[in-house]
Amino acid sequence: MKKQTNYLELYTDYLISGNSYVTATGLSAMMENEISHDQITRFLSNNEFTSRELWKKVKSTVREIESDDACLIFYDTVQEKKWTDESDMMCWHFDHTVGKSVCGINMLNALYYSNEVSIPIAFEIVKKPIQFCDIKTKQRKRKSKITKNELMRDMIQVALPTSSKSTTKLNKKI
């Protein structure tokens, strides 16, 4: 009987331990070809990984370290992909680290920080499905249906306890 492999745990550990580029082929080689790169690629292609699944995995840990002086840390990152074809997800985004727009994937991330521990609790890929022409520059551009501010507010709702009085206060402010 073939042993069942937990690909998610294996791939996550590989991503965390990797100190350079990580690939399905690299993971397969590290496992001495016990698992083929095709098996890993099929696993990644056949599953949709969202903030909802991330939150299910980390919620109990967050609740263990929860404290009144905890905070949420949001950061916006762009992974440049110069040679990839443009799409709703893979398009031009302003990258504040280089001070210009670059072609790549833009991700908004949220960390819960408490008792000197940071835990990722949510992420959203910024997609820009709306195409338009900038009248001034006459260039084709893309726009998102939802702003990063709105994405961030949704991510905050994930982190708040549903019965908390602070939820009501926050909802009124937002």
Side-chain angles (χ1 to χ4, degrees), residues 56-116:
K56 287 176 189 174
K57 288 269 189 201
V58 301
K59 183 177 180 179
S60 61
T61 306
V62 168
R63 297 300 180 230
E64 285 176 24
I65 64 163
E66 205 168 27
S67 66
D68 288 339
D69 63 345
C71 67
L72 289 177
I73 301 169
F74 290 90
Y75 64 98
D76 183 19
T77 185
V78 179
Q79 179 64 53
E80 188 174 7
K81 302 285 186 184
K82 290 180 184 180
W83 313 115
T84 305
D85 293 338
E86 192 174 312
S87 68
D88 293 356
M89 183 180 2
M90 183 73 61
C91 54
W92 292 88
H93 304 277
F94 184 78
D95 186 347
H96 65 277
T97 63
V98 294
K100 64 180 183 175
S101 290
V102 297
C103 188
I105 298 173
N106 187 194
M107 190 174 355
L108 183 61
N109 302 283
L111 296 175
Y112 180 81
Y113 180 79
S114 179
N115 299 315
E116 298 185 26

Side-chain angles (χ1 to χ4, degrees), residues 5-146:
T5 303
N6 185 338
Y7 290 109
L8 182 59
E9 293 292 323
L10 179 64
Y11 192 72
T12 303
D13 289 347
Y14 177 61
L15 289 174
I16 291 168
S17 65
N19 56 6
S20 64
Y21 291 110
V22 292
T23 63
T25 306
L27 175 55
S28 178
M30 188 180 82
M31 297 295 297
E32 298 176 345
N33 296 318
E34 212 173 287
I35 298 170
S36 75
H37 72 280
D38 288 334
Q39 288 173 295
I40 298 160
T41 302
R42 271 192 299 277
F43 167 74
L44 294 172
S45 298
N46 293 332
N47 291 285
E48 188 171 328
F49 301 101
T50 65
S51 268
R52 184 177 306 260
E53 282 74 37
L54 174 61
W55 179 244
K56 287 176 189 174
K57 288 269 189 201
V58 301
K59 183 177 180 179
S60 61
T61 306
V62 168
R63 297 300 180 230
E64 285 176 24
I65 64 163
E66 205 168 27
S67 66
D68 288 339
D69 63 345
C71 67
L72 289 177
I73 301 169
F74 290 90
Y75 64 98
D76 183 19
T77 185
V78 179
Q79 179 64 53
E80 188 174 7
K81 302 285 186 184
K82 290 180 184 180
W83 313 115
T84 305
D85 293 338
E86 192 174 312
S87 68
D88 293 356
M89 183 180 2
M90 183 73 61
C91 54
W92 292 88
H93 304 277
F94 184 78
D95 186 347
H96 65 277
T97 63
V98 294
K100 64 180 183 175
S101 290
V102 297
C103 188
I105 298 173
N106 187 194
M107 190 174 355
L108 183 61
N109 302 283
L111 296 175
Y112 180 81
Y113 180 79
S114 179
N115 299 315
E116 298 185 26
V117 176
S118 295
I119 299 174
I121 61 162
F123 67 93
E124 290 295 334
I125 304 290
V126 176
K127 296 178 183 162
K128 295 182 175 180
I130 301 168
Q131 295 187 41
F132 65 97
C133 181
D134 185 331
I135 294 176
K136 289 181 184 175
T137 64
K138 295 185 169 85
Q139 289 183 328
R140 183 176 54 91
K141 294 190 174 185
R142 290 181 172 268
K143 178 180 170 182
S144 182
K145 291 180 181 178
I146 184 170

